[in-house]
């Protein structure tokens, strides 16, 4: 238990529905902080389109400096038609932040929650038991290669070094050891040079993990298998763009893109925690977005901060809320974003009554033994 720890969390609500969903996550964290002897301090800063409006840049230097100095960064989402086509779009700020913080590993866990199979657009017998972690490489590939553009032709260069592939492969194999001991590496090695190096490098890294099974799939076949046989996957290891696309597909197997949180981490320094969805412009400002992905991201943040017990408590409160039938519109319900968040906090309060008792007992015991 990490009592008496104080931590600085930079919150980047961003654009569209980002501020709505991240506000619910922050309120959950504040509740946990108040009850559990923590001192989580939040600094909320403009980012993305909001920062273009106020500071002329999606990632102002002051925001980047605050993120670098934080214990963790919690983000909503960025982007929207207002800023589309600008020389520096909100999305460019996000890429710059990921790169500046060295966040090469993006972890996107998705599962069909037992009892909630009916939320899946897939048949229950196909969806049942699906539990997949996408390990997406986040600071390389076509996202960061040189680009050219003219009215007649354009190009995006895709580059991967062996070292970049090795370090993300280690993340995937280590995660698989803690889960179902299987890695599926997804590439396009029948076409792309980067994928050929990817496959060769992953095979070499796999030798260090004899207890973990490895197989390979081409990305097109993987996209198909995700919706025909999602249980065949445990950890999916893949490059930046394939991971982006496959994780949106995977998210709806559980019911909605609004459900998935993510952790982006590097070797050192603060992690960035954000739902996988975008700014959901079509529903922004209506208080109807699903804050589950933002709350799940907050739970992952707690875990990465060494507060796994609190992350677990938050994740459980989220699961209970969904199982109790509290659902936002994307899941066919009528709960507002704020109502959903409040229901999660209601479960947290109930749980924390027991936690307080537990805390007192631990403190008393410590007192006795001292
Ligand atoms: P999107 O994820 O914002 O929305 C896709 C669909 O899913 C929409 O119908 C939306 O209403 C729905 N949706 C998304 N999140 C939801 C939630 N929490 N609850 C309920 N429904 C939800 O993707 P898009 O429409 O392609 O992109 C919109 C903007 O967001 C673009 O500017 C894009 O670049 C940006 N974007 C940002 C991020 C990010 O910040 N990490 C991620 C993806 C897209
Ligand atoms: C995501 C988003 C981003 C990405 C965009 C907004 C740059 O789609 O986080 O999944 O492609 O990585
Ligand atoms: Mn995406």
């Amino acid at each position: 238990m990490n009592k008496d720890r104080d931590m600085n969390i930079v919150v980047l609500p961003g654009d569209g529905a980002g501020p709505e969903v991240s506000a619910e996550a922050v309120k959950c964290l504040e509740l946990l902080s108040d009850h559990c002897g923590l001192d989580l301090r939040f600094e909320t800063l403009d980012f993305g389109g909001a920062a273009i409006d106020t500071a002329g840049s999606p990632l102002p230097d002051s925001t980047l400096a605050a993120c670098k100095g934080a214990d963790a960064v919690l983000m909503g989402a960025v982007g929207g038609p207002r800023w589309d086509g600008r020389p520096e779009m909100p999305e460019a700020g996000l890429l710059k932040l990921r790169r500046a913080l060295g966040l090469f590993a993006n972890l996107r866990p998705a599962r069909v929650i037992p009892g909630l199979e009916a939320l899946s657009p897939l048949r229950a017998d196909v969806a049942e038991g699906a539990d997949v972690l996408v390990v997406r490489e986040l600071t390389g590939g076509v996202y960061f290669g040189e680009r050219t553009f003219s009215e007649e032709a354009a190009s995006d260069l895709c580059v991967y070094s062996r070292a970049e592939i090795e370090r993300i492969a280690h993340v995937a194999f280590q995660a698989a050891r803690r889960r179902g001991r299987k890695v599926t590496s997804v590439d396009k090695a029948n076409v792309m040079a980067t994928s050929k190096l990817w496959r060769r490098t992953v095979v070499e890294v796999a030798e260090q993990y004899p207890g973990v099974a490895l197989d390979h799939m081409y990305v097109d076949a993987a996209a198909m298998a995700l919706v025909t046989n999602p249980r065949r996957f445990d950890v999916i290891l893949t490059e930046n763009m394939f991971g982006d696309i496959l994780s949106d597909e995977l998210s709806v197997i559980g019911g909605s893109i609004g459900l998935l949180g993510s952790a982006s981490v590097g070797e050192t320094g603060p992690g960035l925690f954000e739902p996988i969805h975008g700014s959901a412009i079509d529903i922004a400002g209506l208080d109807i977005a699903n804050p589950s992905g933002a709350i799940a991201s907050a739970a992952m943040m707690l875990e990465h901060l060494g507060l796994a017990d609190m992350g677990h408590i938050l994740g459980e409160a989220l699961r209970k809320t969904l199982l109790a039938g509290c659902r936002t519109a994307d899941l066919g319900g009528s709960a507002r974003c704020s109502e959903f968040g409040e229901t999660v906090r209601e479960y947290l309060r109930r749980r924390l009554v027991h936690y307080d008792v537990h805390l007192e007992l631990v403190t008393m015991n410590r007192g006795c033994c001292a």
Side-chain angles (χ1 to χ4, degrees):
M1 194 177 323
N2 289 275
K3 208 169 173 292
D4 301 327
R5 278 189 68 182
D6 60 331
M7 295 190 198
N8 288 317
I9 314 296
V10 166
V11 182
L12 304 175
D15 309 316
E20 297 163 53
V21 296
S22 55
E24 296 310 316
V26 169
K27 282 188 217 161
C28 291
L29 290 170
E30 282 171 342
L31 184 67
L32 278 165
S33 181
D34 291 349
H35 273 77
C36 302
L38 278 174
D39 186 9
L40 296 183
R41 273 174 273 126
F42 299 93
E43 185 182 6
T44 303
L45 298 171
D46 282 341
F47 180 55
I52 292 176
D53 291 348
T54 54
S57 158
L59 178 61
D61 291 344
S62 52
T63 301
L64 178 57
C67 290
K68 282 185 173 165
D71 290 291
V73 181
L74 190 70
M75 203 196 103
V78 291
R82 256 181 75 195
W83 305 282
D84 282 350
R86 289 181 58 100
E88 202 182 16
M89 286 168 56
E91 291 82 347
L94 177 56
L95 299 189
K96 202 167 154 189
L97 180 62
R98 287 173 178 168
R99 185 77 168 216
L101 295 179
L103 307 173
F104 68 89
N106 181 223
L107 311 176
R108 297 185 161 191
R111 69 181 184 130
V112 173
I113 298 172
L116 294 181
E117 289 81 4
L119 295 181
S120 177
L122 302 183
R123 274 198 333 262
D125 64 302
V126 178
E128 189 185 11
D131 185 350
V132 185
L133 173 69
V134 174
V135 176
R136 171 189 176 193
E137 201 291 328
L138 201 62
T139 51
V142 76
Y143 275 73
F144 293 94
E146 193 186 322
R147 300 185 206 290
T148 66
F149 182 88
S150 78
E151 288 309 318
E152 303 309 322
S155 68
D156 301 276
L157 185 64
C158 184
V159 183
Y160 267 112
S161 68
R162 173 178 288 277
E164 283 175 316
I165 302 167
E166 279 172 357
R167 66 180 180 178
I168 192 69
H170 281 292
V171 173
F173 282 103
Q174 280 159 22
R177 269 185 176 163
R178 299 188 294 269
R179 298 174 40 102
R181 300 188 156 260
K182 181 177 175 190
V183 170
T184 301
S185 177
V186 172
D187 61 37
K188 190 75 186 170
N190 48 352
V191 175
M192 294 172 72
T194 43
S195 282
K196 290 187 173 102
L197 181 64
W198 183 278
R199 198 175 275 219
R200 187 177 300 180
T201 308
V202 170
V203 167
E204 285 167 15
V205 172
E207 285 167 16
Q208 297 173 45
Y209 299 88
V212 178
L214 169 67
D215 65 357
H216 305 270
M217 285 184 101
Y218 298 130
V219 62
D220 46 353
M224 184 269 293
L226 268 179
V227 289
T228 51
N229 186 13
R231 279 193 299 273
R232 81 168 297 298
F233 296 101
D234 174 29
V235 173
I236 290 179
L237 161 64
T238 194
E239 60 107 84
N240 206 340
M241 181 163 275
F242 298 159
D244 178 43
I245 297 167
L246 291 180
S247 54
D248 268 31
E249 185 190 1
L250 180 63
S251 72
V252 290
I253 295 174
S256 164
I257 192 170
L259 290 171
L260 245 66
S262 84
S264 302
V265 294
E267 253 133 32
T268 55
L272 171 70
F273 302 85
E274 51 164 323
I276 78 151
H277 63 75
S279 49
I281 292 294
D282 50 338
I283 57 169
L286 300 176
D287 191 24
I288 59 170
N290 188 343
S292 296
I295 295 170
S297 303
M300 292 175 88
M301 182 187 90
L302 291 170
E303 201 183 317
H304 281 265
L305 287 171
L307 303 166
D309 50 351
M310 281 167 221
H312 181 74
I313 288 172
L314 181 53
E316 276 301 288
L318 177 58
R319 196 177 61 88
K320 282 187 179 147
T321 301
L322 288 163
L323 279 167
C326 184
R327 315 254 165 89
T328 40
D330 54 319
L331 294 173
S334 58
R336 309 232 136 225
C337 177
S338 50
E339 277 168 7
F340 186 95
E342 192 44 40
T343 308
V344 173
R345 290 186 288 281
E346 204 37 59
Y347 279 104
L348 276 181
R349 284 186 200 99
R350 285 188 216 166
R351 175 68 178 79
L352 290 172
V353 170
H354 302 292
Y355 192 85
D356 283 345
V357 172
H358 171 74
L359 250 182
E360 268 168 37
L361 287 175
V362 171
T363 315
M364 273 166 54
N365 283 343
R366 279 207 189 123
C368 293
C369 300

